[in-house]
Amino acid sequence: IILFQSDDWENRCHQLLSNLAEDFPLFYSNFDRERGSIETEDRQGEKRLHPLLSLSIGALTVDSTRYSNHHEVSAACVNAKKQAKKITGNSLFIERRTERMLEEEMTT
């Protein structure tokens, strides 16, 4: 969790993702980078492919008119993170949906 108080928080998130996109590949061999994954052995001895490391950021602006307590803020953060993780690779999802939109999404 990172709490920003600056107005440039979104640009800072994009800069972080850009820096990581440059640095993360350095952790892997050329073969793994070209393949886009690493191969490991699980506890049962089975070989598994795993995607290369990436960062998913779920973000929201906390507004006292939208959230009435810390539980609602926490739930919104969890949802934003889930949405960010649906995006392949490094990603930033900014929660801009209203509570009504979220409720409609859950019923469909």
Side-chain angles (χ1 to χ4, degrees):
I1 295 175
I2 300 175
L3 303 174
F4 288 112
Q5 293 182 328
S6 59
D7 291 333
D8 68 340
W9 66 268
E10 187 174 348
N11 289 335
R12 293 169 74 185
C13 288
H14 284 295
Q15 185 62 52
L16 173 62
L17 292 173
S18 177
N19 292 346
L20 293 177
E22 291 178 21
D23 293 341
F24 279 168
L26 302 175
F27 293 119
Y28 302 99
S29 68
N30 287 336
F31 178 79
D32 290 335
R33 283 195 301 266
E34 289 173 14
R35 180 175 53 187
S37 62
I38 59 170
E39 185 176 57
T40 64
E41 194 172 289
D42 67 16
R43 292 180 181 137
Q44 290 75 37
E46 299 292 323
K47 293 190 178 197
R48 305 269 182 221
L49 287 178
H50 300 278
L52 302 181
L53 185 62
S54 64
L55 177 67
S56 301
I57 301 173
L60 61 119
T61 302
V62 179
D63 179 350
S64 62
T65 63
R66 184 170 180 188
Y67 305 104
S68 61
N69 59 56
H70 66 284
H71 297 290
E72 290 179 0
V73 172
S74 178
C77 288
V78 168
N79 190 48
K81 181 188 77 167
K82 284 181 182 177
Q83 294 300 317
K85 287 186 163 290
K86 289 180 181 180
I87 303 167
T88 302
N90 294 326
S91 62
L92 170 61
F93 177 86
I94 302 171
E95 181 60 82
R96 292 189 171 109
R97 298 170 295 173
T98 64
E99 294 305 313
R100 183 176 181 188
M101 293 168 75
L102 291 170
E103 288 173 8
E104 288 175 3
E105 185 177 299
M106 292 176 73
T107 61
T108 58

